[in-house]
Amino acid sequence: MHSKLARGTFALLIVAFPALAQSSGPTSWQNDLTPISTADWNYDLAAHLLERAGFGGTPEEINALAKMTPAQAVARLVRFQGTDANNLPPFDHSGIHDPGLEPFPPSRPAVTDLAKEKGEALGIKVKPSGNRRLQPIVDEFFYWLRASVLETNRVSYWWANRMLDSPRPLQEKMALFWHGHFASNEAKVRDYRKLLGQLELFQKHGTGNFRDLTLAVAQDPAMLSFLDAGVNVKGASNENFAREIMELFTMGVGHYTEKDIREAARAFTGWNYVDLKFVVNKDQHDDGEKTFLGKTGRFDGVDVIDIIMQQPATADYIAGKIYRFFVRQELSPELQKQLGSVLRDNHYEIAPLLEKIFLSRDFYSPASVGTRIKSPVELAVTTYKKLGLKSVPGVPDFNSATGQLGQQLFSPPTVAGWAGGQSWITPGLLLERGNFARDVLFPDISFLPPDRFTGGGEVRRVAERIREGMDISSATMDDTKVGSRAESNLNADRNEDFNTRYGSFRGSQMAIERVKPIPRDTAQVNLSKMVLNEHLKTTTEVVDYMIHRFMRVPPNDASRRQLVGFLNNELGTADIAAAQTYMEYSLRLLLHLIMSQPEYQLS
């Protein structure tokens, strides 16, 4: 039973699923932006709205929306009417950043060259004499690399908890959209503070004005670092940001020329950052005349962004991308132009566009309901939400679990973000999604926290050898070269300026000491209590309740009957009253099967 339900392919996700989706409007609603009426509104449509404009909901949360009019429900989500997020805690910093780290060098050779030239680096002086005079500086370099990764993972947990428990779920859903749109990653930025600042920018302005958001991102230290602003200077402009702002962030391919990219790059010269502050280095800015998208003048970056906003393609492109994120991948050119007009007519205010989409008949048509594949982050958060949890468990690890499924926060694979859609599902990834559900319901008792344990590789080998009492040279020796050294020299500690392998080990050790641990609680799930609170009497009622609570697209009748038969067999009875003292394990097996089904991946 388990393997049969877990081994679907993407083909299973699209065969006849619109007919299986829970309540939607008629087929004629497709591509119709007319607002739905109060008479059309019901529990299932409210659940669909909360699934897409947030991360799903419990039956109580869905009922609260269903009791409103459609306009009231959408206003609550988009305009945050009647919600207060002041009780959400700010991020709890570990206090790991040392002022001497700025400006952080681009590489280990760069930091040791600086230390040799200046006699100090990263706020640490070179030792006057002795072996490994530069070692403390190398240790500090690797410390920050490791500490920033660990603290970024803590930021991910903080954000995931906001997704789960915020009374303003669309605020976090839009932040997730912008994180994939204006993509930057920790591996390039190497500073959790910059990534946190960018996230807070998305949270604060995600439903505001697109022009203002684009300008803020263009002046954001995370993006400036990610797209190499430091080397974009007068006389040697770097085209990275200029190209991406047009190709990916605003207009899309085909609406600009290579000359436009070169001229825009000149306009952005001198834009840089010092630590967490945006600066314009006037001596590095090209103030000469430029011709960009048919306009000529002594443009700077602000002028370029304003000219981009005047292009008809911009509103169409952004409206289309927002639609595909919230509704469905298929979008006709005619509908895209209608949506672009909404954004343009509202001077790039995003909230009116979202209201237009969420109130439209099209949003609730069979083509839209239950047809979108959940991203890994959405899968995890909606699972926790529907279980009724108030915080994200530490087991399984949120970052590792979503990363194995293809989406780790603050680690988009490219500047284009994640591909999404069908790319989230392969036969292997579908099995991994089932494994995620298993690890939530049946926690791994051999779990090792990834933020406290280096599970292999060079750092771990060095750590083990140091604990055995080896000197640094022996402990850090390349395993492939052991035979090339004379036996008499194996325990002779080398005289050197620094040891990179030891620096990597010591830096990791220092990071674990200073970065606060992620709480490692398991999911507090009580399915027996859930069933008894609903006064469910038979296994059939239990299966139907679980399907309705956890799935937006129910399984077909044959699968449903299999689930009922499975629970009957597990409990030894169809009578819930007779099984209530021992049914928890069987209920978890049942829910694991439900969450392993292809239909569970859809929203």
Side-chain angles (χ1 to χ4, degrees):
M1 173 75 175
H2 176 275
S3 60
K4 180 177 180 181
L5 289 176
R7 289 196 181 121
T9 63
F10 184 75
L12 293 175
L13 291 174
I14 57 177
V15 175
F17 268 16
L20 294 172
Q22 293 186 4
S23 178
S24 62
T27 304
S28 61
W29 281 9
Q30 185 173 341
N31 296 329
D32 184 354
L33 294 181
T34 303
I36 64 169
S37 68
T38 301
D40 298 321
W41 192 240
N42 58 39
Y43 178 95
D44 283 333
L45 297 193
H48 171 67
L49 173 64
L50 195 52
E51 192 95 3
R52 297 292 183 84
F55 300 90
T58 62
E60 294 76 19
E61 291 168 331
I62 296 169
N63 270 318
L65 280 187
K67 290 177 181 177
M68 302 177 186
T69 66
Q72 289 170 338
V74 169
R76 183 177 181 86
L77 289 166
V78 176
R79 303 286 182 177
F80 313 138
Q81 290 181 4
T83 63
D84 182 4
N86 290 329
N87 290 331
L88 294 175
F91 178 68
D92 178 26
H93 294 262
S94 295
I96 61 173
H97 185 264
D98 300 325
L101 290 166
E102 300 303 323
F104 192 70
S107 65
R108 196 279 304 151
V111 77
T112 50
D113 289 347
L114 179 65
K116 291 173 183 177
E117 178 185 352
K118 303 292 186 181
E120 65 177 295
L122 303 180
I124 299 173
K125 292 185 180 297
V126 175
K127 291 163 56 177
S129 62
N131 194 14
R132 301 189 181 91
R133 296 167 55 241
L134 306 182
Q135 193 65 49
I137 296 170
V138 173
D139 295 350
E140 182 77 356
F141 176 81
F142 284 106
Y143 154 74
W144 179 245
L145 291 183
R146 179 65 172 154
S148 178
V149 170
L150 293 179
E151 194 78 336
T152 299
N153 289 342
R154 291 185 67 243
V155 174
S156 296
Y157 258 86
W158 172 76
W159 186 12
N161 275 295
R162 286 179 64 105
M163 294 181 199
L164 178 61
D165 201 37
S166 174
R168 299 176 175 180
L170 182 61
Q171 187 174 41
E172 307 309 322
K173 195 69 170 278
M174 280 303 301
L176 183 61
F177 169 78
W178 293 123
H179 177 44
H181 180 76
F182 293 113
S184 54
N185 64 44
E186 200 285 332
K188 179 73 178 288
V189 176
R190 302 192 305 182
D191 187 343
Y192 86 91
R193 302 170 308 146
K194 294 182 176 68
L195 295 168
L196 174 61
Q198 187 177 73
L199 169 58
E200 291 173 334
L201 182 68
F202 296 153
Q203 290 168 331
K204 184 177 181 181
H205 301 292
T207 59
N209 185 275
F210 177 67
R211 180 265 181 195
D212 294 345
L213 177 62
T214 303
L215 178 58
V217 170
Q219 297 179 344
D220 174 59
M223 185 59 72
L224 290 165
S225 171
F226 186 64
L227 290 179
D228 308 304
V231 295
N232 187 28
V233 297
K234 181 179 181 179
S237 56
N238 181 285
E239 297 177 3
N240 283 1
F241 182 71
R243 182 179 301 277
E244 307 308 352
I245 195 174
M246 287 184 278
E247 178 178 329
L248 297 175
F249 299 163
T250 58
M251 293 191 294
V253 177
H255 300 285
Y256 53 87
T257 66
E258 288 297 312
K259 181 181 179 181
D260 290 324
I261 293 172
R262 292 192 295 270
E263 296 291 88
R266 291 175 57 209
F268 284 111
T269 52
W271 283 31
N272 210 332
Y273 63 93
V274 174
D275 198 5
L276 301 180
K277 183 181 178 181
F278 168 70
V279 298
V280 177
N281 296 318
K282 293 184 178 180
D283 60 327
Q284 296 177 353
H285 174 63
D286 184 341
D287 195 37
E289 189 174 85
K290 309 163 189 76
T291 299
F292 174 69
L293 294 176
K295 295 183 180 293
T296 301
R298 296 171 63 181
F299 301 140
D300 64 7
V302 178
D303 298 319
V304 163
I305 289 172
D306 284 337
I307 293 171
I308 288 174
M309 295 299 154
Q310 296 168 13
Q311 309 305 305
T314 301
D316 294 349
Y317 177 80
I318 295 303
K321 191 162 185 181
I322 289 174
Y323 179 91
R324 290 186 176 95
F325 181 82
F326 284 103
V327 188
R328 62 177 186 270
Q329 288 294 312
E330 297 75 24
L331 174 60
S332 69
E334 296 77 19
L335 185 57
Q336 183 165 359
K337 287 189 178 299
Q338 289 183 59
L339 296 168
S341 295
V342 173
L343 190 58
R344 226 175 354 259
D345 293 345
N346 285 280
H347 310 289
Y348 285 99
E349 291 294 327
I350 298 161
L353 174 65
L354 294 173
E355 289 175 320
K356 188 73 171 180
I357 290 172
F358 295 147
L359 283 171
S360 71
R361 289 176 172 176
D362 176 72
F363 183 69
Y364 302 96
S365 70
S368 303
V369 175
T371 59
R372 184 176 178 274
I373 301 172
K374 299 173 191 172
S375 74
V377 168
E378 291 169 327
L379 175 73
V381 176
T382 58
T383 295
Y384 295 140
K385 169 70 76 173
K386 291 173 183 180
L387 284 168
L389 304 185
K390 293 299 182 183
S391 62
V392 175
V395 182
D397 180 71
F398 178 81
N399 295 300
S400 298
T402 57
Q404 288 169 356
L405 296 177
Q407 184 186 36
Q408 182 171 340
L409 295 176
F410 303 108
S411 295
T414 68
V415 69
W418 294 277
Q422 298 185 17
S423 71
W424 294 133
I425 295 291
T426 64
L429 288 177
L430 190 56
L431 284 170
E432 284 297 325
R433 286 176 174 236
N435 290 339
F436 164 73
R438 179 202 62 202
D439 289 341
V440 172
L441 297 167
F442 301 98
D444 180 6
I445 61 174
S446 63
F447 173 80
L448 293 171
D451 62 328
R452 302 290 111 185
F453 175 80
T454 301
E458 185 176 278
V459 171
R460 181 155 178 77
R461 288 194 296 272
V462 171
E464 289 171 347
R465 292 168 180 173
I466 293 291
R467 290 188 74 252
E468 291 169 0
M470 287 189 181
D471 61 71
I472 290 177
S473 294
S474 300
T476 58
M477 189 175 187
D478 187 340
D479 288 343
T480 64
K481 298 179 180 179
V482 171
S484 66
R485 296 184 64 193
E487 188 69 27
S488 59
N489 292 331
L490 279 177
N491 293 318
D493 205 10
R494 292 192 301 273
N495 184 13
E496 56 188 353
D497 285 338
F498 57 89
N499 185 301
T500 299
R501 285 193 174 88
Y502 184 78
S504 180
F505 153 71
R506 180 63 186 134
S508 296
Q509 194 175 57
M510 292 161 61
I512 290 174
E513 289 173 358
R514 292 182 60 179
V515 176
K516 295 178 180 180
I518 293 170
R520 292 300 174 184
D521 56 322
T522 58
Q524 300 303 297
V525 178
N526 191 331
L527 299 181
S528 299
K529 183 178 180 181
M530 184 185 294
V531 165
L532 294 175
N533 285 346
E534 293 297 323
H535 307 292
L536 306 177
K537 294 181 172 54
T538 68
T539 51
T540 298
E541 289 179 359
V542 169
V543 168
D544 286 343
Y545 174 78
M546 293 292 186
I547 288 173
H548 191 257
R549 177 171 182 136
F550 288 94
M551 303 181 78
R552 295 312 311 144
V553 177
N556 60 37
D557 287 341
S559 293
R560 175 181 167 276
R561 288 193 299 270
Q562 283 185 298
L563 291 169
V564 174
F566 172 82
L567 187 56
N568 285 338
N569 185 64
E570 279 292 317
L571 296 178
T573 178
D575 183 3
I576 294 301
Q580 65 178 298
T581 60
Y582 60 84
M583 64 182 176
E584 181 65 28
Y585 179 75
S586 299
L587 292 176
R588 292 190 182 208
L589 288 175
L590 170 70
L591 187 55
H592 178 212
L593 289 177
I594 288 173
M595 291 180 174
S596 297
Q597 297 212 29
E599 294 94 335
Y600 184 69
Q601 318 313 318
L602 299 173
S603 68

